Each structure stands twice: as structure tokens, then as C-alpha cells.
């Protein structure tokens, strides 16, 4: 009985405490840069698309909201022919970002993406693609990877030795 | 017929005024409670619709009126429709005998207190019929709990009031108020005051005694199957019930409209409002007991205390204490 009266008193004293509420639309809370919000496709420092259409994000996606199709350019790069994210299904879990080998797909701190029409929640590649490199400013997949594309042969990537002729006996 | 209407025009106007004021106030209480709960939980509560969110109840009302007035196909239709009406009407009837000021009372009846007790007993039909007619096991459980709770707490609600009746020597609520002109009955009848308050909370199914509804275990108890305007009637009945209990405590124990300087109606409203705040504080602070705990607390503790209070008051009165 006594403890209940104490409870009543303590709860009553909360009347004079400051409220913890953040009044959202007027008062925006700070969202960290690594917050998991709207998904974007980034470009490398040269301005080319980073996505190489490897499908790992689509495979990792637990709700299957990512769909894409690979195509190959004449310069040897792989690109998505289309890249579609259905945000009405997306749960913003960030597994696609973790799966991506080229830092192409990234989550941003933007969460205000409500729509009146459900079809407007389906974002195509032109909606997803941004002009900058996102969170990783210097990374360019084709400069690090040993794939030969037009303008960059085998052994010309960063920290890459020239290819070894395995049929030669010379060191 | 016309003569009758003209003869009682003043009374009819009073009744119309009371209903027109009480029902909106009952609706406003929903907003008030949510705001107060918010403050006691360090948040704001509804503050968007209108200044300070004061139009929240209106928005809720508009929403609830436009909802589909659905009756489940498995329900007992006439009883299902009747139950919420009984709930709201039986509570509204009780307001007729509450003296808000010396003049503002619909029926200054000699059996006002008994009428109040009778009407609160009738309210149990609303919950039990709703639970039964819904043909749903949660509703049924809620209805049964409500019936058991109401019947057991009604016993000592009546007993606790007998102390007041002994002291004032009247069942007329206005006379009870006038009898408190020297000393409010909360002092000589403190035990009765506490018991009546507990019983009142249990009667109006307010937290912490809201076991018939118990959202966390019975999903909504007796009004699980209700929606739209019928649900609104239950809700209105509950909040009017809280208001009624506060008014009755004010009238019986806190000196009703009496107080210095301010006009009677203001004193009445202030006292009632403070009691309503206390009820909301109870909701914010206390957990819900188990159902068997509730009943055994009622029968094993409160009923003997109420009887003791009655016997002691009667003895003191008999030997000329007051």
C-alpha cells in the first residue's frame, strides 16, 4: 500500500519534468551519416556508375525488393540495364549495402519518402543514381580490380603487378 | 400534453442543457486524459488538432461517425445494439440527481442516493449483455468479469455510503451537501471516502480496475466486437462514469458546491476536476491486479472495513458523538 502511494507521488512529480518528445516535423532530429534511409546508387570519382550488376544486392535482399539486369558496354564495363527498387517493400535493413562489392549501393540519412500513390514508391535507376561518390570519396572499383577494360589492361590497376607469363621459366 | 410541457419547460430546458453540456465534456475528457497521461509520462500527448490539441475529440468523433457501423454475423443482433445504449443511458440518468449548485439540479429527489446506486447497478447489464451478444470468447470473459466485479464492489459501495446517510440523516443529495456546511464528510468519514473511491473506480471500470477491458490480456474485453458509433457510446459511458463518480465523491464527501468567495458552480467544477485528475493519475501510476486478487481484496478487506466503518459511525451517532 505504501509503495503504491510512493508510486503515485513519483508519477505525479513527472508533471514538472521536461518532456522528452522531439516534435518531429518542426524539429528535425539529427540523423548520422550512416543512418539507414533512402537507398542511392553512387558514381566513382571519375563520374562513372559504380554498379557492376553483380546481383549480390538482389540476392542479399530479404524482401526481394531489388531487381536489375546486367548489360555490357563496348568498353568492357558491366552496367545494370535497369535497376529497380520497390521502396514499398524495402525494410531499409542495409544488407544490400553490406553485400555490394563496389560501394555502389548506399543508404542515406533521408527518411522522408512517403507517397500517396504506391506505384510512386518504385524507384528506377534514374531516380536512384546520384552524381557523387556517396560515403566513399576515393574508391573506384575498376582502378582496384584486375579486370581489363578499355583504357586499362591487365596489371595496370593500383598495387597490381604485371601479369606473370606462366609458360616462361624466367623469374 | 401541451400544458404539461409548458408547466415543466424550465425542467426540460435544464435537462436539455445538461445533456448538451455533459456529452461534449465527456468527449473532451478523452483528450484531457490523454494530455495528462502524456505529461505524467514526460511526453506531450495529442497537441496537433487545434490549439493544444483541443479539437482532438472532435476529430475522433468525426472519424468514429464515418466508420462502418458493423454488426458481426454471429452476434445476437437486438441485444448487441441494445447493450451500448443501456451503458450510456444508465450513466446519464444518474446525473439527474447530482446537485451541481443549490438551483441547478434536474431532480432534487428524496431518494437521490438510492437512485444513483440503482443506476450504477443497471450499468452492469450493458457490459454483460455486450459480452454475451458479441458471441466471442474474449468479450464473454470480459462481460463475466465485469459482472462479478460490479456486483461485488456494489455491495460495499452502498455500505460505505451508509455512513454519510447516518451522519446527514437523508438520502437527498442536496441535503447531504447542506449538512456538510460545517465539516466536510471526508474528515469524519475518511474510511468511507477511501472505500467509496475504490468502489467507484471499480464500478466505472477505470484503471487499475479495468479488468473487463484489459487490453493486454482480453484485447478489449466486452467491446471487442464493437466499432463505430456503438463503440463511441461505450467510450462515452466510461468517461461519463468517471465524471459521475467524481461528482458523487464531491457531493458526498467534499462539500459539493460549498466553498468561500467563488460561485457554487465553480467550486463544484474545481473539486470534480481535481478528482478526475486523481483518477487519471491512478491510471498513469498503478498496475492492474489479477482478477482473483481484485475480488479477494474486495470481499476480504474492503467489505469488512466498510462494515466496521458503518458500525462505528452508527455507534457514535447513537451515543450522541456528532
Amino acid at each position: 500500500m505504501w509503495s503504491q502511494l510512493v508510486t503515485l507521488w513519483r508519477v505525479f512529480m513527472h508533471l514538472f519534468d521536461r518532456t522528452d518528445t522531439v516534435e518531429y516535423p518542426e524539429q528535425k532530429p539529427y540523423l548520422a551519416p550512416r543512418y539507414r534511409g533512402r537507398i542511392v546508387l553512387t558514381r566513382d570519382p571519375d563520374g562513372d556508375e559504380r554498379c557492376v550488376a553483380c546481383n549480390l544486392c538482389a540476392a542479399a535482399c530479404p524482401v526481394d525488393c531489388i531487381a536489375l539486369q546486367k548489360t555490357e558496354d563496348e568498353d568492357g564495363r558491366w552496367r545494370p540495364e535497369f535497376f529497380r527498387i520497390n521502396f514499398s517493400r524495402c525494410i531499409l535493413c542495409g544488407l544490400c549495402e553490406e553485400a555490394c562489392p563496389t560501394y555502389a549501393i548506399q543508404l542515406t540519412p533521408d527518411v522522408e519518402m512517403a507517397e500517396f500513390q504506391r506505384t510512386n514508391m518504385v524507384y528506377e535507376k534514374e531516380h536512384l543514381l546520384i552524381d557523387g561518390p556517396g560515403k566513399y570519396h576515393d574508391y573506384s572499383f575498376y582502378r582496384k580490380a584486375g579486370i581489363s577494360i578499355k583504357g586499362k589492361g591487365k596489371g595496370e590497376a593500383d598495387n597490381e603487378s604485371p601479369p606473370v607469363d606462366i609458360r616462361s621459366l624466367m623469374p | 400534453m401541451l400544458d404539461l410541457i409548458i408547466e415543466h419547460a424550465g425542467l426540460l430546458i435544464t435537462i436539455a442543457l445538461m445533456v448538451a453540456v455533459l456529452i461534449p465534456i465527456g468527449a473532451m475528457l478523452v483528450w484531457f486524459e490523454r494530455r495528462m497521461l502524456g505529461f505524467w509520462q514526460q511526453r506531450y500527448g495529442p497537441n496537433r488538432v487545434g490549439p493544444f490539441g483541443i479539437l482532438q475529440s472532435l476529430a475522433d468523433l468525426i472519424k468514429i461517425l464515418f466508420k462502418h457501423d458493423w454488426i458481426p454475423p454471429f452476434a445476437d443482433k437486438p441485444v448487441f445494439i441494445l447493450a451500448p445504449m443501456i451503458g450510456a443511458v444508465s450513466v446519464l440518468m444518474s446525473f439527474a440527481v447530482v446537485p451541481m449548485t443549490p438551483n441547478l439540479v434536474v431532480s432534487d429527489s428524496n431518494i437521490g442516493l438510492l437512485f444513483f446506486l440503482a443506476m450504477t447497478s443497471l450499468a452492469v447489464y450493458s457490459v454483460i449483455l455486450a459480452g454475451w451478444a458479441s458471441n466471442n470468447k474474449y468479450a464473454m470473459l470480459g462481460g463475466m468479469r465485469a459482472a462479478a466485479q460490479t456486483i461485488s464492489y456494489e455491495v460495499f459501495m452502498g455500505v460505505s455510503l451508509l455512513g454519510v446517510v447516518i451522519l446527514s440523516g437523508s438520502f437527498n443529495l442536496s441535503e447531504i451537501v447542506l449538512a456538510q456546511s460545517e465539516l466536510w464528510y471526508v474528515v469524519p468519514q475518511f474510511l468511507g471516502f477511501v472505500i467509496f473511491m475504490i468502489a467507484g473506480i471499480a464500478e466505472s471500470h477505470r484503471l487499475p480496475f479495468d479488468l473487463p477491458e484489459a487490453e493486454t490480456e482480453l484485447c478489449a474485453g466486452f467491446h471487442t466486437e464493437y466499432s463505430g458509433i456503438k463503440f463511441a457510446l461505450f467510450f462515452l459511458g466510461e468517461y461519463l462514469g468517471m465524471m459521475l463518480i467524481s461528482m458523487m465523491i464531491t457531493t458526498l464527501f467534499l462539500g459539493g458546491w460549498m466553498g468561500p468567495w467563488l460561485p457554487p458552480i465553480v467550486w463544484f467544477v474545481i473539486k470534480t476536476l481535481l478528482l478526475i485528475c486523481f483518477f487519471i493519475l491512478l491510471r498513469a501510476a498503478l498496475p492492474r491486479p489479477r482478477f482473483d486478487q481484485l475480488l479477494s481484496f474486495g470481499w476480504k478487506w474492503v467489505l469488512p472495513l466498510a462494515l466496521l466503518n458503518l458500525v462505528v459511525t452508527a455507534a457514535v451517532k447513537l451515543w450522541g458523538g456528532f
Side-chain angles (χ1 to χ4, degrees):
Chain A
M1 192 66 210
W2 175 245
S3 77
Q4 311 224 328
L5 293 178
V6 172
T7 310
L8 278 176
W9 174 249
R10 290 205 179 136
V11 172
F12 178 74
M13 288 315 281
H14 277 286
L15 195 60
F16 306 107
D17 289 351
R18 268 189 40 176
T19 48
D20 287 335
T21 312
V22 178
E23 297 228 65
Y24 163 61
E26 292 92 34
Q27 202 182 337
K28 308 264 190 213
Y30 168 72
L31 298 180
R34 60 183 224 176
Y35 198 87
R36 299 200 309 256
R38 181 169 54 88
I39 298 173
V40 293
L41 285 175
T42 57
R43 294 173 186 274
D44 62 19
D46 306 325
D48 280 322
E49 293 168 34
R50 271 181 176 149
C51 181
V52 294
C54 67
N55 258 313
L56 281 179
C57 50
C61 182
V63 290
D64 282 349
C65 69
I66 304 178
L68 68 152
Q69 172 65 52
K70 190 208 100 180
T71 183
E72 190 172 336
D73 280 1
E74 58 271 23
D75 60 359
R77 288 173 176 239
W78 286 16
R79 282 211 176 76
E81 188 179 3
F82 69 82
F83 196 105
R84 186 178 299 140
I85 297 183
N86 183 353
F87 278 105
S88 61
R89 277 180 168 247
C90 178
I91 55 174
L92 303 175
C93 64
L95 288 181
C96 48
E97 186 178 18
E98 286 184 35
C100 185
T102 67
Y103 290 147
I105 194 163
Q106 291 180 13
L107 277 74
T108 58
D110 174 24
V111 290
E112 294 174 339
M113 45 194 306
E115 294 281 355
F116 286 101
Q117 288 259 309
R118 191 161 288 214
T119 44
N120 292 347
M121 296 294 281
V122 179
Y123 282 40
E124 295 291 343
K125 186 173 154 187
E126 65 262 30
H127 309 124
L128 295 165
L129 208 58
I130 62 169
D131 290 335
K135 283 176 259 189
Y136 307 96
H137 303 292
D138 308 324
Y139 183 78
S140 168
F141 172 71
Y142 284 107
R143 259 193 253 145
K144 304 280 181 195
I147 302 172
S148 62
I149 53 167
K150 192 177 173 192
K152 192 204 82 171
K154 286 274 183 194
E156 289 174 14
D158 299 348
N159 294 328
E160 192 186 15
S161 318
V164 178
D165 183 2
I166 53 168
R167 292 189 181 76
S168 156
L169 288 172
M170 296 301 288
Chain B
M1 185 66 201
L2 197 66
D3 303 343
L4 265 173
I5 292 177
I6 293 167
E7 193 186 331
H8 297 291
L11 192 63
L12 286 177
I13 291 171
T14 317
I15 293 174
L17 205 73
M18 291 268 272
V19 172
V21 170
L22 283 176
I23 291 180
I25 288 179
M28 287 300 293
L29 267 186
V30 182
W31 165 77
F32 181 70
E33 171 166 38
R34 288 174 65 190
R35 272 323 286 261
M36 292 312 287
L37 279 178
F39 287 132
W40 278 316
Q41 294 164 357
Q42 293 190 24
R43 53 191 178 83
Y44 286 112
N47 62 350
R48 294 281 153 180
V49 194
F52 305 108
I54 204 162
L55 298 177
Q56 180 70 42
S57 290
L58 189 68
D60 286 347
L61 183 74
I62 291 170
K63 187 196 88 173
I64 220 158
L65 284 179
F66 279 94
K67 283 219 166 185
H68 186 184
D69 191 17
W70 190 66
I71 298 172
F74 45 81
D76 185 346
K77 231 166 246 171
V79 184
F80 190 84
I81 297 170
L82 192 64
M85 294 184 197
I86 297 177
V89 168
S90 66
V91 174
L92 274 175
M93 292 280 274
S94 300
F95 283 102
V97 294
V98 179
M100 305 195 181
T101 68
N103 304 317
L104 182 62
V105 48
V106 174
S107 162
D108 196 12
S109 164
N110 279 329
I111 52 158
L113 197 57
L114 294 179
F115 183 81
F116 159 75
L117 287 173
M119 281 300 144
T120 48
S121 325
L122 276 185
V124 72
Y125 280 108
S126 143
V127 277
I128 188 97
L129 289 180
W132 177 258
S134 296
N135 207 356
N136 168 320
K137 45 182 168 298
Y138 291 117
M140 189 64 225
L141 281 170
M144 281 180 351
R145 281 182 178 192
Q149 179 177 329
T150 313
I151 289 171
S152 30
Y153 274 71
E154 210 167 72
V155 173
F156 50 81
M157 183 183 226
V159 174
S160 69
L161 288 183
L162 285 183
V164 171
V165 174
I166 288 174
L167 289 187
S168 65
S170 172
F171 280 115
N172 184 323
L173 289 170
S174 302
E175 281 177 25
I176 290 177
V177 173
L178 289 174
Q180 300 177 63
S181 52
E182 279 156 29
L183 184 64
W184 291 359
Y185 283 157
V186 66
V187 182
Q189 283 292 311
F190 186 72
L191 200 57
F193 168 72
V194 173
I195 291 168
F196 182 72
M197 192 174 253
I198 292 173
I201 301 164
E203 283 280 304
S204 55
H205 310 311
R206 291 282 310 163
L207 281 110
F209 296 147
D210 73 327
L211 287 126
E213 291 166 38
E215 284 97 342
T216 39
E217 43 179 319
L218 289 184
C219 57
F222 60 86
H223 56 57
T224 305
E225 297 289 350
Y226 281 86
S227 66
I229 191 71
K230 294 202 211 64
F231 172 77
L233 273 182
F234 272 125
F235 220 64
L236 188 72
E238 186 188 324
Y239 280 84
L240 285 177
M242 176 166 75
M243 199 154 77
L244 176 69
I245 292 297
S246 308
M247 284 182 177
M248 285 309 285
I249 295 174
T250 308
T251 309
L252 294 167
F253 295 99
L254 298 180
W257 65 74
M258 287 193 290
W261 307 306
L262 296 171
I265 186 76
V266 176
W267 272 112
F268 190 81
V269 168
I270 287 175
K271 288 171 187 175
T272 308
L273 204 61
L274 283 178
L275 280 168
I276 288 174
C277 285
F278 181 70
F279 280 137
I280 297 171
L281 177 64
L282 281 178
R283 175 180 179 170
L286 295 185
R288 184 188 296 131
R290 225 168 47 220
F291 190 61
D292 59 319
Q293 289 171 336
L294 179 75
L295 283 191
S296 62
F297 173 70
W299 287 107
K300 290 181 187 163
W301 289 96
V302 188
L303 181 63
L305 278 177
L307 286 172
L308 185 74
N309 178 50
L310 174 63
V311 169
V312 169
T313 313
V316 171
K317 176 83 176 175
L318 200 60
W319 290 309
F322 291 112

